[in-house]
């Protein structure tokens, strides 16, 4: 009751807001949404004492002035010495040193410190803020009271080499992961980049700056260098590398952030996100395609013949025909898919209320015949069509339609297929016979006999639904898709999912989905809550999701559409400059990237809050929203005029970070377990991602062709750097749209890293669902994860292409993820140190997904593995 009351209250509030909005056209401008609380839910407060600051999983020390003298991340000191600020002037090279930083103010969410340092004629004055996620913002001036000219100003960040194995830098490049991977043996150098991170699989350190303003010279190809010195990896920022007068102080803002930024208690295995959101999925019946495919060659003669079947409709053939999309009510039974764009189709047509036959060549239909029948659901009927001297349709043994169509159905069979079923095929087929003669009489027996004219005869009694094959009595064998079921005690085939009808939403619930993302099409205007038209549908969908214990996330993104009411007044101020992109979608519109340093930040915050308040959604899916893309739009403070006279970009890291924190607050103050799921491919800028509950990465490779091996396009060191989430502190999910690897291949790469691939498409979702279930019944939550790069004392695997990661529950068993990441099939030999793992003496090894026992000697496993495949093996 209370909920109903608050909903009505919110609706009236909204009506009021809309009415008010007409008087004041921009009620969102200056919105305070998300600015409170200062300490976001779930974060421990910042702790400071002296020059030392503690945040979750890390401690920072500022013993020498403005810059860090020590960083402990995940119990390890990662600096090999203090960060040093070095200047060169007429007085030679000197280190700027200062007293320990002094705390100026503290609050649960942040600490500010003041520090200065000096050397010869040069001084630094700095104010640093350390925020709850360990983001340090240091604003400092480099000045000289005497107006000295300096030749050099460098920040030297010495890292212990064992914690600087991997390098990530932003921006990256679409189509590659070259900006993420093992730190090259020879080190690395680059012109200014706004974000650089070095780390290992557990921790790291990021440095960032929004622009290269005051860096000298501009475009110095060696502005950022990383060099190796024994056990030290030295990251150097060559801020001034050419003579520069300090008559005017130079201002800089640098950011530092050690990782991981938090210790998540839930990850993508808990969130179970899918992307199947749409209006009406709570009422539309789930009718997955179900097909049987036989090769056409040898199974049919195009010159003359007969196709006949005994069938039972499992739909109601007498339902009234609705207006609108009636095609969805047709029921596909039989088709011949032939080369040169020929299709012969034989199906139940909703307008005829009976069987129809057509020959289609490209967009032409030289034959289209049908006849009404008066069938009832579940009754058995003999249906047939014949060709040669004429075309005939038979129903229950009697001729129904005849047309004078002579000769072959199509010119060639080649590699064509015979298909039973399709997307909508609510039939049980008892018998199929294809003959090389035009039959004219059909005995009423329910089982067909084989004679000298029989090319294909199937009683459907030799069906293997596990390996999805079918062996006819006569003719070449076929293959089954998922959802084809053997029924009638294995004597018939059901061309649809057996059991009672379920809706799409129910099916998602059955699969174990917990979070549904509704992509951009939830609103007719891109990244804009134009919900007037769909309000009721959205309300119904949210309610239905909640009734099933599922969350619904709505899409918000990075653009403003030219159909948005705000476009006319706010495009110039809010869009990224120079204007980029131009994404088009239906209904007709073009959307351009916005910069969240602009007022559009308030719009987005207000919109998300509004959608949560009115529709009770459970969080957001953010497409690129966390990406601090380059922008020169001075109307909202981006970009700057360089001394060369050109306008150079800002990467608005702090503004995007602020928006992300606001969104996190908006979501979690309303729903403590709400989600902020970020899609950020190529962009691992941790200060803008820290408030995400998980990220979804990998679209940058979606346009890479399969010619390149999957691991060549996504090498393991790159995966460990950008796609694993662990050392960043944010749960990760891999994106795969079928290129450059298939969904199961992508899993072979991701699973050894404890990372799931979001199941897009039903087949993929079903595979992902089986992984969720396998890990649930094993008890992944209670297991210790021991990845392939750190488990040599527990498991050895050959050949080298085999990677094995373990989920260890000791005496309760071990789950192995075994992946063959090579390009050829191998016999994998996996030897477990059963004693060290704490396994009992007598154990069995089972392939969890197939349920089959594996060859297991008690400590050694042998598995035949195709390239880029994985197995989930349970040893207990
Ligand atoms: Zn901007």
């Amino acid at each position: 009751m209370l909920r109903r009351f608050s909903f009505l209250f919110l609706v009236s509030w909204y009506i009021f807001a809309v009415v008010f909005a007409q008087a004041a056209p921009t009620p969102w401008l200056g919105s305070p949404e998300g600015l409170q609380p200062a300490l976001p839910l779930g974060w421990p407060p910042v702790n400071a004492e002296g020059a030392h600051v503690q945040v979750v999983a890390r401690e920072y020390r500022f013993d020498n002035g403005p810059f860090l003298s020590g960083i402990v991340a995940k119990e390890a000191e990662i600096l090999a010495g203090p960060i040093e600020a070095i200047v060169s002037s007429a007085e030679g090279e000197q280190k700027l040193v200062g007293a320990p930083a002094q705390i100026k103010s503290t609050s649960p969410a942040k600490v500010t410190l003041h520090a200065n340092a000096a050397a010869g004629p040069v001084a630094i004055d700095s104010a640093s803020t350390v925020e709850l996620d360990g983001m340090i913002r240091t604003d400092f001036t480099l000045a000289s009271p005497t107006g000295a000219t300096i030749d050099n100003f460098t920040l030297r960040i010495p890292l212990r080499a064992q914690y600087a194995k991997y390098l990530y830098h932003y921006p990256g490049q679409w189509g590659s992961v070259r900006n993420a991977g093992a730190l090259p043996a020879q080190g690395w150098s680059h012109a200014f980049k706004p974000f650089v991170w070095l780390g290992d699989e557990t921790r790291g350190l990021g440095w960032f700056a929004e622009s290269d303003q005051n860096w000298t010279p501009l475009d110095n190809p060696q502005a950022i260098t990383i060099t190796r010195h024994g056990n030290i990896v030295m990251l150097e920022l060559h801020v001034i590398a050419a003579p520069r007068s300090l008559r005017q102080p130079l201002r800089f803002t640098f950011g530092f952030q050690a990782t991981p930024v938090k210790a998540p208690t839930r990850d993508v295995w808990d969130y179970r996100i899918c992307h199947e959101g749409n209006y009406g999925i709570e009422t539309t019946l789930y009718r997955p395609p179900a097909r049987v495919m036989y090769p056409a060659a040898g199974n049919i003669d195009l010159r003359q013949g007969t196709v006949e079947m005994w069938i039972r409709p499992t739909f109601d053939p007498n339902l009234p025909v609705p207006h609108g999309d009636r095609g969805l009510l047709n029921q596909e039974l039989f088709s011949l898919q032939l080369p040169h764009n020929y299709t012969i189709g034989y199906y139940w047509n909703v307008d005829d209320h009976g069987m129809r036959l057509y020959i289609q060549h490209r967009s032409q239909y030289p034959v289209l015949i049908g006849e009404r029948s008066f069938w009832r659901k579940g009754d058995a009927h003999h249906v047939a069509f014949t060709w040669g001297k004429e075309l005939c349709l038979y129903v229950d043994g009697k001729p129904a339609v005849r047309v004078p169509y002579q000769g072959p159905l199509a010119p060639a069979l080649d590699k064509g297929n015979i298909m039973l079923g399709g997307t909508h095929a609510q039939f049980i087929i008892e018998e199929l016979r294809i003959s090389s003669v035009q039959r004219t009489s059909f005995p009423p027996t329910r089982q067909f006999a084989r004679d000298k004219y029989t090319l294909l005869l199937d009683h459907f009694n030799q069906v293997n639904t596990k390996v999805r094959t079918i062996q006819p009595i006569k003719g070449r064998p076929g293959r089954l898709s998922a959802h084809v079921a053997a029924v009638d005690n294995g004597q018939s085939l059901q061309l649809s999912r057996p059991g009672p009808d379920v809706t799409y939403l129910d099916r998602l619930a059955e699969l174990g989905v917990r979070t549904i993302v509704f992509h951009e099409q939830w609103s007719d205007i891109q990244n804009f809550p134009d919900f007037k038209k769909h309000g009721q549908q959205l309300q119904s969908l949210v309610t239905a999701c909640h009734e099933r214990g599922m969350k619904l996330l709505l899409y918000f993104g990075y653009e403003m559409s030219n159909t948005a009411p705000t476009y006319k007044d706010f495009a110039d101020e809010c869009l990224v400059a120079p204007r980029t992109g131009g994404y088009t979608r239906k209904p007709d519109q073009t959307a351009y990237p916005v910069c969240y340093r602009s007022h559009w930040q308030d719009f987005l915050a207000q919109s998300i809050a509004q959608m949560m308040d009115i529709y009770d959604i459970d969080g957001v899916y953010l497409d690129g929203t966390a990406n601090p893309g380059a922008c020169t739009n001075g109307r909202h403070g981006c970009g700057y005029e360089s001394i060369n006279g050109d306008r150079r970009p800002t990467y608005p890291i702090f503004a995007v970070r602020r928006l992300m924190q606001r969104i996190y607050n908006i979501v979690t103050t309303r729903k403590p377990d709400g989600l902020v799921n970020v899609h950020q491919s190529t962009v691992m800028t941790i200060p803008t991602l820290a408030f995400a509950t998980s990220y979804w990465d990998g679209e940058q490779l979606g346009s890479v062709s399969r010619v390149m091996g999957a691991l060549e396009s996504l090498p393991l060191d790159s995966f460990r750097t950008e796609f694993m989430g662990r050392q960043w502190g944010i749960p990760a999910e891999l994106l795969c749209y079928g290129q450059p690897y298939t969904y199961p291949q992508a899993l072979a790469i991701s699973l050894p890293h404890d990372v799931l691939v979001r199941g897009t498409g039903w087949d993929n979702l079903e595979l992902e669902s089986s992984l969720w279930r396998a890990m649930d019944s094993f008890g992944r939550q209670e297991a210790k994860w021991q990845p392939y790069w750190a488990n040599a004392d527990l498991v050895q695997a050959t050949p080298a292409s085999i990677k094995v990661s373990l989920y260890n529950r000791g005496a309760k068993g071990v789950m192995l993820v075994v992946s063959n990441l090579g390009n050829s099939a191998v016999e994998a030999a996996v030897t477990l140190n059963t004693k060290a793992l704490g396994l009992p003496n007598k154990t069995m090894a089972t392939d969890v997904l197939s349920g089959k026992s594996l060859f297991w000697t008690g400590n050694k496993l042998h598995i035949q593995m195709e390239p880029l495949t994985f197995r989930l093996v349970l040893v207990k």
Side-chain angles (χ1 to χ4, degrees):
M1 228 18 223
L2 187 66
R3 281 178 70 82
R4 178 58 48 110
F5 169 77
S6 61
F7 173 68
L8 287 175
F9 169 78
L10 288 165
V11 167
S12 30
W13 171 84
Y14 174 64
I15 291 166
F16 170 78
V18 167
V19 172
F20 177 74
Q22 283 167 354
T26 52
W28 49 268
L29 208 56
S31 166
E33 283 295 350
L35 296 175
Q36 295 293 333
L39 182 66
L41 187 80
W43 296 80
V46 183
N47 228 325
E49 207 181 318
H52 299 182
V53 183
Q54 283 152 359
V55 292
V56 55
R58 285 146 300 158
E59 183 184 271
Y60 296 132
R61 296 193 301 279
F62 295 86
D63 292 329
N64 295 359
F67 302 106
L68 289 158
S69 56
I71 301 172
V72 176
K74 277 275 190 186
E75 291 96 40
E77 173 60 62
I78 59 174
L79 289 185
I83 295 177
E84 293 180 340
I86 310 286
V87 290
S88 298
S89 66
E91 297 185 20
E93 186 179 294
Q94 290 167 301
K95 202 184 295 178
L96 289 133
V97 288
Q102 291 199 332
I103 295 172
K104 284 286 158 196
S105 70
T106 62
S107 75
K110 61 184 173 195
V111 170
T112 56
L113 305 110
H114 177 250
N116 46 43
V122 180
I124 286 181
D125 189 54
S126 79
S128 291
T129 306
V130 182
E131 299 194 7
L132 70 168
D133 61 330
M135 193 285 301
I136 305 170
R137 173 183 171 138
T138 300
D139 296 290
F140 66 97
T141 52
L142 186 66
S144 170
T146 59
T149 290
I150 58 170
D151 302 319
N152 211 299
F153 172 63
T154 302
L155 216 59
R156 284 190 190 148
I157 306 171
L159 290 142
R160 296 186 182 194
Q162 72 263 41
Y163 304 125
K165 289 162 69 176
Y166 304 110
L167 167 67
Y168 175 84
H169 46 95
Y170 166 83
Q173 202 179 12
W174 209 246
S176 90
V177 290
R178 278 195 290 273
N179 60 319
L183 175 64
Q186 73 278 17
W188 178 82
S189 63
H190 207 278
F192 172 85
K193 277 209 151 196
F195 182 80
V196 177
W197 174 94
L198 286 160
D200 68 358
E201 298 89 358
T202 310
R203 55 184 75 74
L205 176 65
W207 165 86
F208 57 96
E210 288 195 324
S211 79
D212 58 1
Q213 190 164 11
N214 287 332
W215 288 52
T216 311
L218 290 168
D219 302 317
N220 172 9
Q222 303 280 318
I224 303 175
T225 60
I226 299 174
T227 49
R228 292 179 184 274
H229 309 270
N231 293 329
I232 297 173
V233 165
M234 186 69 80
L235 166 62
E236 287 178 286
L237 308 167
H238 303 277
V239 183
I240 308 284
R244 176 98 194 224
S245 162
L246 294 184
R247 265 193 299 266
Q248 297 290 328
L250 299 179
R251 287 178 216 287
F252 299 93
T253 298
F254 284 0
F256 303 87
Q257 191 165 20
T259 63
V261 295
K262 59 187 170 190
T265 52
R266 291 182 298 161
D267 62 23
V268 299
W269 291 86
D270 304 302
Y271 297 142
R272 300 187 180 182
I273 306 171
C274 83
H275 234 79
E276 300 294 331
N278 217 331
Y279 292 125
I281 58 172
E282 72 279 24
T283 50
T284 310
L285 292 181
Y286 173 65
R287 294 275 165 76
R291 302 186 182 95
V292 182
M293 300 280 257
Y294 302 92
N299 281 336
I300 196 164
D301 184 340
L302 292 175
R303 292 167 301 178
Q304 59 174 352
T306 301
V307 167
E308 56 188 313
M309 283 176 269
W310 276 99
I311 58 165
R312 303 198 313 262
T314 56
F315 60 98
D316 184 352
N318 296 305
L319 282 179
V321 181
H323 294 291
D325 202 357
R326 301 178 335 282
L328 292 174
L329 298 172
N330 291 335
Q331 303 291 342
E332 296 166 78
L333 180 61
F334 175 99
S335 64
L336 254 176
Q337 323 245 319
L338 297 175
H340 316 300
N341 301 94
Y342 276 92
T343 303
I344 289 86
Y346 186 47
Y347 71 105
W348 187 88
N349 178 275
V350 65
D351 293 324
D352 287 0
H353 276 83
M355 295 303 295
R356 216 182 234 200
L357 176 75
Y358 65 83
I359 299 175
Q360 181 186 4
H361 181 226
R362 301 186 194 280
S363 58
Q364 303 293 310
Y365 289 84
V367 172
L368 187 66
I369 52 175
E371 171 86 353
R372 183 177 175 116
S373 296
F374 294 90
W375 289 355
R376 286 179 309 182
K377 182 178 180 178
D379 286 353
H381 295 278
H382 178 275
V383 294
F385 69 91
T386 69
W387 66 97
K389 293 193 178 76
E390 58 180 353
L391 269 179
C392 290
L393 291 190
Y394 293 84
V395 178
D396 298 322
K398 297 186 187 72
V401 191
R402 313 183 101 97
V403 288
Y405 183 92
Q406 281 200 359
L409 295 171
L413 279 181
D414 292 346
K415 289 185 175 143
N417 284 302
I418 295 167
M419 185 170 93
L420 306 181
T423 311
H424 302 277
Q426 304 282 301
F427 290 108
I428 288 171
I429 313 185
E430 300 178 357
E431 293 280 304
L432 165 69
R433 183 169 68 174
I434 301 179
S435 311
S436 61
V437 65
Q438 202 165 8
R439 294 183 193 270
T440 52
S441 66
F442 303 95
T445 51
R446 289 279 281 270
Q447 194 170 64
F448 293 137
R450 173 180 171 172
D451 62 20
K452 64 179 178 178
Y453 304 113
T454 306
L455 296 173
L456 178 64
L457 173 62
D458 208 330
H459 299 320
F460 303 112
N461 55 0
Q462 291 187 56
V463 171
N464 186 332
T465 50
K466 272 232 148 84
V467 288
R468 295 184 178 165
T469 56
I470 186 164
Q471 181 63 54
I473 300 298
K474 170 83 170 57
R476 297 175 64 195
R479 293 196 61 80
L480 315 173
S481 73
H483 304 294
V484 177
V487 293
D488 299 344
N489 294 318
Q491 300 297 310
S492 306
L493 214 55
Q494 180 159 349
L495 291 179
S496 59
R497 194 173 174 265
D501 280 338
V502 295
T503 63
Y504 274 91
L505 191 63
D506 285 326
R507 179 60 187 152
L508 294 174
E510 276 179 2
L511 287 169
V513 168
R514 292 183 183 150
T515 309
I516 297 175
V517 172
F518 195 163
H519 206 68
E520 62 195 24
Q521 73 274 18
W522 74 269
S523 174
D524 285 355
I525 302 175
Q526 183 76 359
N527 193 30
F528 187 99
D530 174 43
F531 46 84
K532 286 172 217 118
K533 188 168 148 197
H534 300 293
Q536 279 189 336
Q537 290 169 290
L538 184 57
Q539 191 65 58
S540 161
L541 176 61
V542 172
T543 305
C545 287
H546 290 177
E547 283 168 359
R548 289 158 183 78
M550 292 193 276
K551 292 182 163 64
L552 186 79
L553 310 185
L554 291 183
Y555 172 104
F556 285 91
Y558 61 95
E559 318 107 318
M560 190 195 295
S561 168
N562 62 359
T563 58
T566 47
Y567 188 81
K568 188 168 145 285
D569 290 335
F570 287 92
D572 287 344
E573 195 251 294
C574 298
L575 295 188
V576 162
R579 197 170 289 200
T580 57
Y583 172 70
T584 56
R585 59 161 275 202
K586 296 283 175 197
D588 284 344
Q589 62 195 285
T590 307
Y592 300 93
V594 290
C595 179
Y596 284 116
R597 190 167 173 167
S598 71
H599 289 306
W600 198 249
Q601 171 168 152
D602 287 345
F603 178 85
L604 200 78
Q606 175 82 17
S607 300
I608 292 171
Q610 197 175 35
M611 293 313 290
M612 288 199 73
D613 289 340
I614 299 174
Y615 291 103
D616 201 24
I617 61 166
D618 304 288
V620 285
Y621 165 82
L622 298 175
D623 180 13
T625 312
N627 299 359
C631 178
T632 61
N633 192 338
R635 290 173 189 244
H636 56 247
C638 276
Y640 75 96
E641 301 291 337
S642 81
I643 48 171
N644 301 345
D646 58 343
R647 189 156 185 88
R648 298 173 79 90
T650 302
Y651 297 84
I653 293 171
F654 294 107
V656 172
R657 170 183 164 76
R658 182 169 178 269
L659 171 64
M660 290 300 297
Q661 184 170 353
R662 290 177 75 176
I663 293 173
Y664 179 85
N665 281 342
I666 289 165
V667 170
T668 56
T669 51
R670 287 162 173 83
K671 302 219 170 180
D673 62 348
L675 299 191
V676 179
N677 175 226
V678 172
H679 172 43
Q680 49 50 274
S681 297
T682 76
V683 185
M684 205 63 223
T685 48
I686 195 63
T688 70
L689 288 171
F691 296 98
T693 51
S694 65
Y695 71 99
W696 192 31
D697 194 356
E699 192 174 3
Q700 61 269 50
L701 296 175
S703 53
V704 175
S705 77
R706 275 193 207 184
V707 179
M708 203 197 264
L711 270 190
E712 279 82 70
S713 48
L714 181 47
L716 287 184
D717 59 315
S718 298
F719 196 100
R720 290 193 297 268
T721 307
E722 180 179 330
F723 295 86
M724 197 165 61
R726 290 182 85 231
Q727 69 273 56
W728 301 93
I730 310 177
E733 212 178 351
L734 182 63
L735 185 152
C736 170
Y737 290 155
Q739 253 186 227
Y741 24 64
T742 63
Y743 182 78
Q745 288 174 339
L747 280 171
I749 300 171
S750 77
L751 281 180
H753 305 88
D754 191 36
V755 170
L756 282 167
V757 186
R758 186 171 298 183
T760 44
W762 287 91
D763 285 353
N764 298 340
L765 196 51
E766 291 195 18
L767 177 52
E768 189 178 17
S769 168
S770 61
L771 298 173
W772 298 333
R773 294 196 193 297
M775 284 300 191
D776 269 0
S777 57
F778 166 70
R780 173 182 170 277
Q781 299 272 20
E782 289 77 41
K784 183 176 181 197
W785 184 60
Q786 293 167 311
Y788 64 89
W789 63 86
N791 63 16
D793 53 332
L794 301 171
V795 57
Q796 283 87 47
T798 58
S801 68
I802 300 294
K803 302 288 179 222
V804 183
S805 290
L806 308 170
Y807 296 84
N808 186 0
R809 293 195 68 194
K812 291 187 174 166
V814 176
M815 183 76 89
L816 282 63
V817 173
V818 184
S819 281
N820 176 15
L821 298 179
N823 287 327
S824 45
V826 296
E827 187 184 301
V830 178
T831 309
L832 293 186
N833 184 344
T834 52
K835 205 172 161 195
L837 285 165
L839 281 166
N841 284 336
K842 281 208 161 193
T843 48
M844 280 178 59
T846 312
D847 181 326
V848 177
L849 295 186
S850 73
K852 285 186 184 155
S853 291
L854 293 169
F855 181 75
W856 168 247
T857 65
N859 73 338
K860 200 165 187 178
L861 192 66
H862 293 272
I863 325 176
Q864 280 300 127
M865 294 191 72
E866 295 298 312
L868 273 183
T869 57
F870 72 93
R871 301 288 185 89
L872 222 53
V873 179
L874 179 62
V875 177
K876 67 183 285 185

